[in-house]
Amino acid sequence: MKKQVYILFFILLYSGFNLAQQNAINIKATLNVEEDKLMIQQEIVYTNTSNQELNHIFLHNWGNAFKDRKTPLSKRFIQDFRKDLYFANQKDLGFSDIKNITINFNNIIYKELENKEDILQLFLDKPLKPKESTRINVTYILKIPNSKFTGYGKYNNGYRLRYWYLTPAIYKDGWQLMSNLNLNDLFEDYTTFNIQFKLPNYLNLTSSLKQQKPNIDGVYTTYNLYGKNQKDVILDIQRKNTFKKFHTDSHEIQTDILQEDFNENITKVILNRELSFLTSYLGVLPTDKIFIDEVMRKQNPIYGLTQLPNFIRPFSDVFKQDLTLFKVLSKKYLQQTLLINERKDYWLIDGLQNYLMIEYVNKFYPEIKLLGKASNSWFLKRFNISKLKFNEKYPFVYQFTARRFLDQALNTPADSLSNFNRRIVSKYKAGLGFTYLKGFLSEAILNKSIKEFYQKNKLKVTNDSDFKNILTKNTSKDISWFFKDFIKTNKKIDYTIDKVKETNDSLKVTIKNKRNITTPIALYGIKNKEIKYKEWFTNVSDTLTTTLPKGKFDQIALNYENIYPEYNTLDNYYNVKRKLFNKPLKFSLIKDVKAPNYNQIFYQPSFGYNFYDGLILGVKLHNKPIIKRNLEFKISPGYATRSKMINGSFSVAFNQFFEETNIYKIAYGITGNTLQYAPELSYSSLIPYVDIQFKRKSLRDASTENLRAKIVHINKEISPLETKTDQDNYNVFSLSYNYINPDIIDETRYSFTGEVAKNFSKISADYRFRKLTTSDTQLDFRVFAGVFLHNKSEGDYFSFGLDRANDYLFELNYYGRSESSGIFSQQYIITEGGFKSVLPTRFANQYMLSLNSSIGLWRWVEFYNDVAFLKNKDQYLFFGYENGIRLNFIHNIFEIYLPLYSNNGWEVSQEAYPQKIRFTFTGDLGSIYNFFRRGFL
């Protein structure tokens, strides 16, 4: 009893001592394992640290983000093509059930914000003046969600809890409110915590706070947790304790991310080295305990370290463990000790953390390659990517995205970043930004500024303006370009050596700025692959000419060390020793990274198949490295094993990207192809085209919109017994508009097409809508309407097809396009009429109107129902109908259709029913890739 009194006195003294300095949160919580609920009594001592009177207070209630499908978190998941929370079982959901809220022991009015169920607004009876404090008491029940949503919640070994308690929003230049979007970025003020947590004896509690010896009372254990200058309190409640504790020279580290068989003594040595490194860059670290859990490791993977399969074992266990620990340790330390609104200024935390990663690898692992030991394998060592150092992944990944114009400005709010940028690219660009400053200002000035910024602002609310002020103070060089264009825009740095003029004793080098951003650039003189000259130039907004001594260099180069992220580095080199080609030709297998000193041609085996050619074996020659180019070409000859013919395809395209308009890019190109379309009969196509692709509303919007104009020339071989007609050699001009919004709940697609040829012209529209109902039932609707404006063609070759389009433009991937029986005649591609049954009237040479629909019955089993109106010249209007079962395994990629009833009667009772079954199957890797990449790029 006496001991408990001392503990209570300590808690009251501890909270009272901090009352005027920071907020205090006292919590009593009891875990109900049977219902996965926490019964919580929470007291918040809130201090108004602003210079404004406050009439209300906001509390972040992120535990309520899992309550239903209407929360911002659920909507965010839908944008990411995740429907697990949207359709979750009630037992897996989580919520906060508020029973009572008082302020200074008086009941008050409160409400959830509209469309932000995880934020509470508390209305004060009287204004809270600056420096005054008030006491908020809340009684509530927290239902713990399943951990499958965010990694935190109930899991097989117990409970992981993060953002589980109510916490006041920060008031700085207005209330800083944010909903839980699974970004792990709650802007939470430093607080004094005292938590009493009661749970069954068979469970163990580990936390980011300090804790006293637990009290055991019957079947329950009570844990007393406390901490000053704390935020983001994480608890891990486990049946089997998986955490290990390490006492380093200066800190206590608790973690469960270690490999089970990894030596603990080596781990301690690694942790001491990592903490010493952090101290050398940041100065004295203000906390003595660091808590790192498995979820944080999974949310902060080291790309390039864990993506290669384990059986290759490209990296040593020590290297993997060291970098894994350092990444989460440095990220945790920065987040724990710098109070930054990561929803707005995420780049500062990410930039510092990635800069520290780069410096750590440079110091301790400078020899490690990006592919590790795999770089020396007989197959990979011939590729340029095998020569990249581990840290060269940063400019490589940035350029991969920038060349597609998919990068975003570093001041873009974190919730507006695409997933690829949020997880990888923006972090890398921010880290490269610090490396850029290091190269331009000097290592001493940058590192001095980082340490000064950290020491002045640790445990305080800060932002990038504070860092800018310190950096500006410590250098006489102009760095306005960094905080303006580099941070606030996605303008691309792109300089080139425009020309080099040789005189008797010098080289006059002209540098040209190819884009709309002016930043410092580095010029190098290289001799025998060693840097003999290096100089920085600034204010090169157009061109600059400088003079270098002649005879001292083999090569002149820009950005030779990849210090700054650049849009295109292929034109950064000039060979002083004159050659027939400034860059010799180099053939490389498959795709590879760029080789700046060569013009690369890639070759790789190609495979194809159709019923008439059989297996097509060939080679594809192209100039497309992993990083996209503006001018691209491909030649792909092949040998057909069945037809014994040489066939193939070619394409040439120039991609013009736009930054200031609603147009994303215009592709100008021409393609050609030759294949068999019937036994021993081939066709050839030649298609010049212009494709205009429009920008998305934002990079989180997965929709695509494009306009394409093309002229299709088709020349078909015919049997010697037949006479060539207009159906065998023809030209068609096609203009089409296409829109796709692949939303996982409400998917919409529509297209409008017009075609003009010698003997016909027609227009058509195709509208598709797919919806998942609240019960996870799929509804699929499609409407097709097509009409001939004029039609002088004979037969049905150019007509609208009810169950199978003639595909006279040879756009559809039919494996046996001329088959009228057999398995390949049953291949189904949804287009034009969209019917599955073969009806007496199969074509329309005047107009067609068709409606296709299906409804989910169970998982991938659906019931389809179609109707259509077909009109042919000199014939009555034909009405078609059908229904059946659709097995929708992978939408538009692998499906099977089982007809039941149609104009033909009961299909299942008729002869040769298996021949009536239709299937959708595509081997088009592009379609499969686009399906699975949704929500990522």
Side-chain angles (χ1 to χ4, degrees):
M1 180 68 182
K2 187 179 292 184
K3 182 179 180 182
Q4 292 175 337
V5 171
Y6 283 136
I7 292 173
L8 179 61
F9 175 78
F10 171 77
I11 291 173
L12 292 173
L13 180 65
Y14 194 83
S15 60
F17 178 76
N18 290 281
L19 183 61
Q21 299 179 39
Q22 61 180 211
N23 297 336
I25 291 180
N26 305 310
I27 294 175
K28 287 185 178 180
T30 301
L31 174 64
N32 182 336
V33 176
E34 287 74 22
E35 298 182 4
D36 300 324
K37 290 181 177 179
L38 285 176
M39 271 59 74
I40 299 175
Q41 291 179 312
Q42 179 174 341
E43 180 184 73
I44 303 170
V45 180
Y46 177 78
T47 302
N48 180 6
T49 57
S50 73
N51 55 6
Q52 304 279 329
E53 282 191 354
L54 303 179
N55 295 309
H56 48 250
I57 296 172
F58 289 95
L59 301 180
H60 283 119
N61 181 22
W62 278 22
N64 207 39
F66 306 87
K67 65 179 294 188
D68 56 37
R69 59 171 53 98
K70 297 179 182 178
T71 65
L73 179 62
S74 181
K75 294 174 182 177
R76 173 83 177 189
F77 282 159
I78 292 300
Q79 290 179 346
D80 294 340
F81 290 86
R82 287 184 56 184
K83 57 182 181 179
D84 46 355
L85 180 56
Y86 193 89
F87 292 117
N89 294 324
Q90 190 67 32
K91 65 181 180 64
D92 291 330
L93 296 176
F95 56 83
S96 295
D97 182 9
I98 307 295
K99 299 299 184 181
N100 184 50
I101 300 181
T102 64
I103 294 182
N104 294 330
F105 306 104
N106 294 315
N107 290 324
I108 54 105
I109 298 173
Y110 64 92
K111 69 172 184 177
E112 291 179 357
L113 295 191
E114 186 176 359
N115 298 321
K116 293 182 179 180
E117 295 86 344
D118 50 6
I119 300 177
L120 290 171
Q121 184 177 14
L122 281 53
F123 297 92
L124 303 178
D125 290 336
K126 62 177 182 178
L128 185 64
K129 296 179 180 180
K131 310 304 179 186
E132 286 188 348
S133 299
T134 190
R135 194 176 299 271
I136 305 168
N137 289 87
V138 188
T139 302
Y140 61 104
I141 296 175
L142 178 71
K143 167 63 171 61
I144 302 172
N146 194 299
S147 65
K148 65 182 179 181
F149 305 126
T150 64
Y152 291 98
K154 181 181 179 180
Y155 72 115
N156 56 5
N157 192 34
Y159 304 88
R160 289 191 180 101
L161 302 182
R162 188 178 188 184
Y163 307 128
W164 55 278
Y165 52 89
L166 301 176
T167 185
I170 291 177
Y171 188 93
K172 184 174 178 61
D173 302 322
W175 287 102
Q176 303 296 307
L177 305 179
M178 55 182 65
S179 286
N180 185 353
L181 300 178
N182 194 30
L183 300 176
N184 300 309
D185 60 350
L186 179 59
F187 193 28
E188 178 184 358
D189 208 346
Y190 288 109
T191 302
T192 298
F193 284 94
N194 287 286
I195 299 175
Q196 188 182 89
F197 212 100
K198 186 177 181 181
L199 53 126
N201 285 342
Y202 60 86
L203 294 173
N204 302 287
L205 187 148
T206 309
S207 80
S208 57
L209 297 178
K210 296 180 180 180
Q211 65 184 56
Q212 298 169 341
K213 184 178 180 180
N215 299 320
I216 300 176
D217 182 13
V219 296
Y220 286 96
T221 300
T222 300
Y223 290 83
N224 292 295
L225 315 174
Y226 61 95
K228 181 183 176 183
N229 294 324
Q230 296 292 322
K231 63 188 182 82
D232 189 15
V233 175
I234 300 175
L235 307 180
D236 211 309
I237 303 167
Q238 299 179 322
R239 291 177 175 85
K240 178 183 177 183
N241 188 7
T242 60
F243 279 81
K244 294 182 179 180
K245 186 183 296 185
F246 296 89
H247 293 282
T248 68
D249 295 342
S250 56
H251 291 74
E252 176 188 306
I253 312 288
Q254 272 188 292
T255 182
D256 65 343
I257 71 171
L258 300 173
Q259 301 174 19
E260 289 186 8
D261 58 347
F262 198 77
N263 187 284
E264 292 191 16
N265 291 327
I266 296 177
T267 300
K268 187 173 180 179
V269 172
I270 288 173
L271 287 170
N272 273 316
R273 184 172 76 176
E274 291 175 352
L275 289 166
S276 175
F277 180 88
L278 289 174
T279 302
S280 68
Y281 276 80
L282 303 176
V284 178
L285 306 175
T287 185
D288 55 4
K289 180 179 180 179
I290 305 174
F291 181 87
I292 302 170
D293 62 7
E294 174 66 10
V295 180
M296 187 172 186
R297 182 196 66 80
K298 289 181 178 179
Q299 292 172 344
N300 293 274
I302 301 177
Y303 295 97
L305 184 65
T306 58
Q307 279 62 52
L308 291 174
N310 286 331
F311 71 86
I312 297 178
R313 296 183 66 85
F315 302 102
S316 69
D317 290 341
V318 171
F319 178 74
K320 289 175 64 175
Q321 194 68 71
D322 193 355
L323 259 63
T324 299
L325 275 169
F326 185 78
K327 181 162 188 180
V328 291
L329 178 65
S330 57
K331 184 65 176 286
K332 182 71 174 181
Y333 222 115
L334 290 169
Q335 287 182 323
Q336 190 170 325
T337 57
L338 288 177
L339 191 52
I340 293 175
N341 187 338
E342 293 185 65
R343 192 70 57 95
K344 295 179 179 179
D345 286 335
Y346 70 89
W347 79 265
L348 187 53
I349 289 283
D350 286 341
L352 281 170
Q353 195 266 331
N354 278 276
Y355 174 68
L356 292 170
M357 280 287 296
I358 292 170
E359 293 292 284
Y360 190 80
V361 170
N362 280 339
K363 183 173 182 178
F364 297 109
Y365 301 102
E367 75 288 351
I368 297 294
K369 300 290 184 65
L370 178 59
L371 301 183
K373 297 175 183 177
S375 297
N376 298 321
S377 67
W378 68 269
F379 178 73
L380 292 176
K381 67 182 180 180
R382 69 190 69 186
F383 292 94
N384 291 318
I385 195 170
S386 70
K387 299 178 177 62
L388 294 183
K389 295 293 183 66
F390 194 82
N391 277 343
E392 289 184 273
K393 67 179 181 178
Y394 296 95
F396 171 71
V397 170
Y398 165 76
Q399 196 176 82
F400 172 84
T401 310
R403 293 289 294 179
R404 288 166 167 79
F405 284 79
L406 296 177
D407 59 314
Q408 293 170 277
L410 289 179
N411 70 334
T412 304
D415 56 339
S416 297
L417 293 172
S418 71
N419 286 339
F420 191 51
N421 285 330
R422 179 177 62 84
R423 295 170 187 166
I424 307 176
V425 180
S426 293
K427 296 175 186 287
Y428 283 13
K429 184 183 177 183
L432 288 171
F434 279 86
T435 303
Y436 197 174
L437 290 173
K438 171 188 169 183
F440 178 59
L441 300 179
S442 81
E443 181 177 6
I445 289 177
L446 176 65
N447 290 349
K448 173 188 175 183
S449 300
I450 289 174
K451 183 177 289 187
E452 183 179 343
F453 167 74
Y454 183 83
Q455 290 300 317
K456 283 186 175 180
N457 293 284
K458 60 186 179 184
L459 304 180
K460 297 179 182 177
V461 177
T462 186
N463 54 39
D464 59 359
S465 295
D466 295 326
F467 177 65
K468 176 184 176 181
N469 292 336
I470 289 173
L471 199 61
T472 303
K473 174 178 68 69
N474 289 337
T475 182
S476 59
K477 294 182 178 180
D478 178 24
I479 56 172
S480 61
W481 56 271
F482 181 82
F483 291 94
K484 290 181 180 177
D485 282 346
F486 189 87
I487 296 297
K488 296 183 179 180
T489 74
N490 66 339
K491 293 179 180 179
K492 316 295 188 289
I493 301 171
D494 191 12
Y495 290 84
T496 184
I497 297 177
D498 189 41
K499 59 184 177 181
V500 177
K501 184 177 180 181
E502 299 185 23
T503 63
N504 292 332
D505 59 353
S506 64
L507 299 173
K508 288 189 175 181
V509 181
T510 301
I511 302 169
K512 182 178 180 181
N513 187 349
K514 296 168 62 179
R515 301 192 67 80
N516 57 349
I517 180 174
T518 302
T519 62
I521 55 174
L523 180 67
Y524 296 81
I526 311 299
K527 181 74 171 180
N528 297 326
K529 297 184 179 181
E530 292 185 9
I531 299 172
K532 299 298 183 180
Y533 166 87
K534 176 182 176 182
E535 186 171 352
W536 284 90
F537 295 92
T538 59
N539 301 319
V540 185
S541 58
D542 186 14
T543 61
L544 175 141
T545 300
T546 187
T547 301
L548 300 181
K550 187 177 179 180
K552 291 189 176 183
F553 312 117
D554 301 328
Q555 193 177 59
I556 309 298
L558 290 170
N559 199 16
Y560 183 76
E561 298 173 285
N562 265 328
I563 292 176
Y564 47 89
E566 194 168 5
Y567 175 76
N568 179 22
T569 54
L570 293 176
D571 55 3
N572 282 5
Y573 296 82
Y574 177 84
N575 290 320
V576 177
K577 295 180 179 179
R578 305 300 295 271
K579 299 178 182 179
L580 180 61
F581 297 102
N582 191 38
K583 293 184 181 181
L585 196 62
K586 180 181 181 181
F587 287 89
S588 301
L589 180 63
I590 314 181
K591 285 192 175 184
D592 198 359
V593 300
K594 60 181 175 57
N597 295 317
Y598 296 92
N599 289 311
Q600 290 171 292
I601 300 294
F602 301 102
Y603 63 94
Q604 63 191 76
S606 64
F607 306 91
Y609 177 82
N610 70 62
F611 183 56
Y612 313 111
D613 284 309
L615 184 63
I616 303 170
L617 304 176
V619 61
K620 181 167 67 175
L621 301 172
H622 62 93
N623 73 329
K624 302 177 184 179
I626 297 175
I627 296 176
K628 198 171 185 64
R629 303 182 59 148
N630 291 83
L631 179 63
E632 299 175 337
F633 68 83
K634 178 190 72 172
I635 303 172
S636 184
Y639 174 75
T641 57
R642 183 174 183 180
S643 66
K644 312 298 183 184
M645 300 289 291
I646 299 294
N647 55 31
S649 63
F650 80 91
S651 66
V652 180
F654 179 79
N655 299 302
Q656 181 182 8
F657 292 92
F658 296 84
E659 295 183 71
E660 306 297 332
T661 70
N662 291 328
I663 296 175
Y664 169 60
K665 76 171 182 178
I666 299 179
Y668 312 88
I670 184 169
T671 66
N673 192 40
T674 179
L675 287 170
Q676 302 284 302
Y677 74 93
E680 298 184 0
L681 296 175
S682 66
Y683 79 93
S684 61
S685 65
L686 187 66
I687 308 172
Y689 66 89
V690 176
D691 190 358
I692 302 174
Q693 186 172 337
F694 297 95
K695 288 179 180 175
R696 296 178 271 175
K697 294 178 182 178
S698 74
L699 288 184
R700 288 200 55 78
D701 177 13
S703 64
T704 60
E705 183 182 12
N706 76 292
L707 183 67
R708 169 171 280 213
K710 61 185 177 182
I711 299 175
V712 181
H713 173 70
I714 302 294
N715 187 14
K716 296 163 54 182
E717 288 184 347
I718 62 171
S719 168
L721 302 178
E722 296 180 358
T723 303
K724 204 157 195 175
T725 68
D726 290 341
Q727 297 179 5
D728 302 314
N729 192 324
Y730 52 89
N731 297 292
V732 178
F733 171 75
S734 172
L735 181 65
S736 62
Y737 169 83
N738 302 278
Y739 174 83
I740 299 175
N741 180 13
D743 188 270
I744 198 170
I745 301 299
D746 298 302
E747 178 180 309
T748 303
R749 300 168 181 254
Y750 53 84
S751 63
F752 302 96
T753 304
E755 295 177 1
V756 179
K758 179 181 178 181
N759 292 326
F760 73 89
S761 61
K762 62 181 180 180
I763 56 174
S764 62
D766 187 321
Y767 176 82
R768 309 181 190 195
F769 177 72
R770 184 181 61 83
K771 181 177 180 62
L772 291 177
T773 67
T774 55
S775 59
D776 202 8
T777 298
Q778 178 163 295
L779 303 177
D780 209 337
F781 299 96
R782 176 178 176 268
V783 178
F784 174 81
V787 60
F788 279 89
L789 303 180
H790 89 283
N791 187 6
K792 296 180 181 179
S793 64
E794 297 181 1
D796 285 318
Y797 185 73
F798 297 109
S799 298
F800 297 112
L802 181 62
D803 65 274
R804 184 179 171 102
N806 281 316
D807 189 29
Y808 49 84
L809 298 182
F810 290 85
E811 295 177 319
L812 305 177
N813 189 25
Y814 283 126
Y815 295 113
R817 62 178 59 249
S818 299
E819 296 303 290
S820 57
S821 63
I823 186 66
F824 290 110
S825 69
Q826 296 171 241
Q827 184 185 3
Y828 174 75
I829 298 176
I830 185 166
T831 184
E832 296 189 349
F835 266 52
K836 296 81 187 172
S837 298
V838 178
L839 303 186
T841 301
R842 299 185 66 186
F843 299 98
N845 58 28
Q846 279 193 299
Y847 64 80
M848 175 189 289
L849 177 63
S850 177
L851 172 64
N852 314 122
S853 64
S854 67
I855 182 172
L857 300 178
W858 176 78
R859 291 190 177 180
W860 30 261
V861 180
E862 303 174 14
F863 177 78
Y864 72 82
N865 191 67
D866 304 329
V867 295
F869 298 90
L870 282 73
K871 182 65 175 69
N872 286 283
K873 297 176 182 176
D874 304 322
Q875 294 184 19
Y876 292 110
L877 183 69
F878 175 78
F879 174 67
Y881 56 89
E882 66 168 358
N883 57 49
I885 298 297
R886 176 187 187 185
L887 305 180
N888 189 358
F889 297 111
I890 304 178
H891 189 61
N892 286 340
I893 293 177
F894 179 43
E895 304 176 5
I896 296 176
Y897 295 86
L898 307 171
L900 295 178
Y901 187 75
S902 70
N903 296 66
N904 298 327
W906 284 103
E907 305 257 10
V908 292
S909 63
Q910 296 176 8
E911 187 179 354
Y913 177 74
Q915 297 177 19
K916 298 176 180 290
I917 296 172
R918 305 293 291 274
F919 68 91
T920 294
F921 177 77
T922 180
D924 181 9
L925 296 179
S927 298
I928 297 172
Y929 167 73
N930 287 332
F931 178 84
F932 287 105
R933 79 176 180 91
R934 298 175 305 171
F936 189 66
L937 283 177

